[in-house]
DNA sequence: TCTACTAATTAATTAATTCTTAATCATAAT
DNA sequence: ATTATGATTAAGAATTAATTAATTAGTAGA
């Protein structure tokens, strides 16, 4: 099954170079030249992954990213930014907007394709892999079982969902908003402290070193 | 009945580590160091499951996988790949070649064994096994007979179906919804408490340790 | 068809667990 | 030093399951 990639950049040359390299590696590629077109195309094309330039006319990449993240049809899409090294937009801003990764310009096509593949593989892992391991934690999702240092740990549902989310992509920063959306879904709106309390419980059960707080933004598991 | 595993990798160290761990878990293990030998051994040994390294001399894992899939004698064999995370062969290619799953290197022996077990279990279910055994419970589905500690136990229809479901995949978590769909099928809609009551009856007949409650989600039998 | 029995479901109560909130304390950023 | 944000704790609300008993449905046999 071929993966579909949507490339978004206002520079036609870049679009063509990337398209060429991705197609050579057997991806299906669609392109857009600004954020507004990107969203339209994304809805029709249903890409597995979107590459977004940060600086674009009409609608910049970060805004586009936020919009895409609000679309339920594209729930599982992977988003990665293209950032010029000196761009003032910090990477944190990008991650805050819900991106999964970013790629520095200037782009080296081989590195680019490798990165795309690895991002897709990472998702593949989390989606179809029933077993997640992280240091001495083993999660068997279908069995709802969690082991920590050989011993089985009992988790309540929200704790379990939160842990699975954080470990599904080690090192990725999850914003509070994203955590809210993905663990609490459309549940009645609950206060922010609720997340803290659940983080607390996970830390109690798995030690203080599992989860980092990124103040003002969210949480992440330590890189493996 | 012991399951037979064929390990295929050109790295002798890996073969030995995996062999050791699998044998410890009571599997019968055979090894091969490349795809060509693998096919020969597979034909003689008739393994239940083959673990194939992707990168090997002589014949790579993907090619070997395709060949094995063409052999009618090995129709039901399960194939799983070993893939290095950065290997350029994408896992997608592997699944396309007919693999059932893949395991990332570096391998953690525990995860590896767990995965092998779960793959074998998955197949066990799909085969129509008439007899299910679980600790001191024996079920003969076609005869509608259940024995517990040598004695025959009389079960009502729904009790029987529920027990068979739960034991068809020991340790698997069945959600209430799934139980509803599979035991009550499209029967008139019955309330949630009905499930509880049937669980109760099974616990009365087989003891309190057979079935776990996962609050908010469903039930599971204990792991065997 | 009626009867007697068994099975299945519901209802009602109790029990257990999980989730959320609120209040207070601690810490980092400006 | 002030402010904003997170950590922590404990309490109680809310959810969900266990249990028991009562009711209804289903079935086999006279």
């Amino acid at each position: 099954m071929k993966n579909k990639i949507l490339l978004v950049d206002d520079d036609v040359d870049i679009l063509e170079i990337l398209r060429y390299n991705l197609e050579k590696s057997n991806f299906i590629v669609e392109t857009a030249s600004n954020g507004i077109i990107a969203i339209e195309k994304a809805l029709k094309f249903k890409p597995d992954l979107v590459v977004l330039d940060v600086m674009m006319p009409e609608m910049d990449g970060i805004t586009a990213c936020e919009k895409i993240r609000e679309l339920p049809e594209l729930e599982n899409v992977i988003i990665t930014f293209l950032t010029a090294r000196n761009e003032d937009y910090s990477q944190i801003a990008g991650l805050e907007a819900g991106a999964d990764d970013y790629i520095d310009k200037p782009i080296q096509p081989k590195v680019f394709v490798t990165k795309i593949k690895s991002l897709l593989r990472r998702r593949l892992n989390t989606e179809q892999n029933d077993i997640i391991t992280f240091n001495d934690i083993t999660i068997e999702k279908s069995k709802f079982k969690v082991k920590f240092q050989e011993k089985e740990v009992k988790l309540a549902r929200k704790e379990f969902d939160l842990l699975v989310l954080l470990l599904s992509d080690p090192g990725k920063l999850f914003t509070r908003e994203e955590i809210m959306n993905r663990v609490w879904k459309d549940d009645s709106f609950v206060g922010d402290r609720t997340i803290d309390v659940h983080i607390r419980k996970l830390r109690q059960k798995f030690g203080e070193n599992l989860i980092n707080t990124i103040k003002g933004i969210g949480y992440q598991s330590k890189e493996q």
Side-chain angles (χ1 to χ4, degrees), chain A:
Chain A
M1 181 201 57
K2 288 186 180 182
N3 281 112
K4 293 185 284 185
I5 316 285
L6 175 61
L7 299 175
V8 189
D9 199 315
D10 56 326
D11 182 336
V12 183
D13 294 332
I14 290 188
L15 286 182
E16 278 319 300
I17 293 167
L18 297 184
R19 176 201 283 280
Y20 169 78
N21 281 281
L22 287 172
E23 285 180 344
K24 210 169 59 177
S25 287
N26 240 345
F27 291 101
I28 301 169
V29 179
E30 188 63 77
T31 59
S33 55
N34 71 51
I36 293 171
I37 299 173
I39 290 169
E40 286 167 15
K41 290 219 177 173
L43 280 166
K44 280 189 215 143
F45 180 53
K46 301 206 184 302
D48 298 293
L49 187 149
V50 180
V51 180
L52 274 174
D53 189 24
V54 171
M55 289 285 277
M56 285 182 301
E58 303 294 330
M59 187 193 284
D60 69 90
I62 290 179
T63 314
C65 177
E66 284 166 350
K67 298 268 186 215
I68 290 173
R69 281 288 180 240
E70 284 166 13
L71 300 170
E73 303 93 311
L74 297 172
E75 196 182 7
N76 290 317
V77 74
I78 299 167
I79 299 178
T80 178
F81 279 116
L82 292 180
T83 52
R85 237 168 232 289
N86 295 330
E87 216 143 34
D88 207 29
Y89 290 84
S90 78
Q91 291 170 334
I92 288 172
L95 292 173
E96 221 176 320
D100 296 285
D101 206 345
Y102 37 86
I103 296 170
D104 278 326
K105 289 180 179 177
I107 298 165
Q108 298 166 272
K110 276 211 181 118
V111 177
F112 176 78
V113 172
T114 305
K115 197 143 193 176
I116 297 293
K117 283 184 184 170
S118 114
L119 278 166
L120 286 166
R121 194 165 39 229
R122 189 158 84 189
R123 190 196 52 165
L124 213 70
N125 283 336
T126 59
E127 273 185 12
Q128 75 152 235
N129 242 1
D130 185 46
I131 301 172
I132 294 177
T133 58
F134 183 94
N135 298 337
D136 32 14
I137 300 173
T138 308
I139 306 174
E140 269 186 277
K141 284 193 269 177
S142 66
K143 292 186 181 173
F144 202 79
K145 280 203 171 146
V146 181
K147 281 192 179 171
F148 175 53
Q149 295 169 348
E150 309 296 309
K151 277 195 284 277
E152 195 158 331
V153 179
K154 231 188 123 195
L155 294 187
R157 184 163 47 169
K158 290 275 192 281
E159 286 164 33
F160 182 85
D161 290 348
L162 180 56
L163 181 71
V164 167
L165 178 65
L166 291 172
L167 297 192
S168 68
D169 203 340
K172 175 177 185 316
L173 171 59
F174 292 90
T175 64
R176 281 173 173 274
E177 199 193 340
E178 198 174 351
I179 291 172
M180 213 68 229
N181 289 336
R182 295 181 61 178
V183 175
W184 275 263
K185 311 230 157 85
D186 37 34
D187 276 18
S188 56
F189 295 87
V190 288
D192 252 13
R193 296 302 112 227
T194 304
I195 293 177
D196 303 28
V197 171
H198 281 87
I199 291 284
R200 177 90 250 282
K201 291 193 178 141
L202 290 180
R203 284 176 172 154
Q204 279 175 336
K205 290 180 179 170
F206 300 99
E208 302 297 318
N209 287 322
L210 178 64
I211 299 164
N212 281 338
T213 303
I214 309 296
K215 203 157 175 170
I217 306 175
Y219 297 92
Q220 69 186 161
S221 61
K222 294 259 161 73
E223 292 241 31
Q224 206 164 9

